[in-house]
Amino acid sequence: KLNTAYYTVGNYKSLRDKKVLSKKGGFLGMGKQKAVVPDFNQEAFTQIDLTTMRTIQINSKAAKLVSTHPSGTYSMKKENEKITALEITDPEKFWKASKYLVVVTE
């Protein structure tokens, strides 16, 4: 269990429908931020071994991490103006803040 982490990738609508994301804050519908739902749906995530999994496929025009992971511990691989994958460059630091990775695509 110590080396177990979880990830999910999808657009906002699909992650909202899976009860992983919601929008919060803002004023009169303006400036709302995407955020992970506190009691999110565990079944929407894929379980991985964080010691061996270094690349997560994305294949989208744009992608953004919604979960908390330090910058400088990962990079987005691009090919033909598309983000093909998220590459974890420093797994120890990357997974320290959260064992759950949420990537929103467009």
Side-chain angles (χ1 to χ4, degrees):
K1 277 214 158 190
L2 218 64
N3 295 328
T4 302
Y6 306 87
Y7 78 92
T8 189
V9 177
N11 63 29
Y12 171 75
K13 187 174 185 237
S14 72
L15 293 175
R16 181 198 64 204
D17 293 349
K18 290 178 183 177
K19 296 180 176 45
V20 173
L21 287 182
S22 68
K23 286 189 178 180
K24 67 177 186 176
F27 181 71
L28 297 175
M30 303 292 285
K32 287 188 174 190
Q33 296 291 317
K34 295 176 182 97
V36 178
V37 176
D39 56 344
F40 57 81
N41 176 12
Q42 179 75 38
E43 293 174 14
F45 289 79
T46 302
Q47 182 176 320
I48 60 168
D49 180 339
L50 59 86
T51 60
T52 58
M53 183 73 144
R54 301 284 160 100
T55 304
I56 296 169
Q57 298 303 313
I58 295 179
N59 297 317
S60 181
K61 286 189 292 184
K64 180 181 176 189
L65 274 61
V66 179
S67 49
T68 305
H69 300 280
S71 58
T73 61
Y74 64 93
S75 65
M76 298 284 190
K77 291 179 124 189
K78 285 188 173 186
E79 205 173 288
N80 298 330
E81 311 231 355
K82 262 188 145 178
I83 297 173
T84 57
L86 170 85
E87 189 171 306
I88 301 167
T89 54
D90 188 342
E92 190 176 323
K93 287 182 183 173
F94 182 85
W95 294 110
K96 194 170 189 172
S98 175
K99 299 279 185 174
Y100 289 86
L101 168 64
V102 179
V103 181
V104 179
T105 60
E106 282 185 25

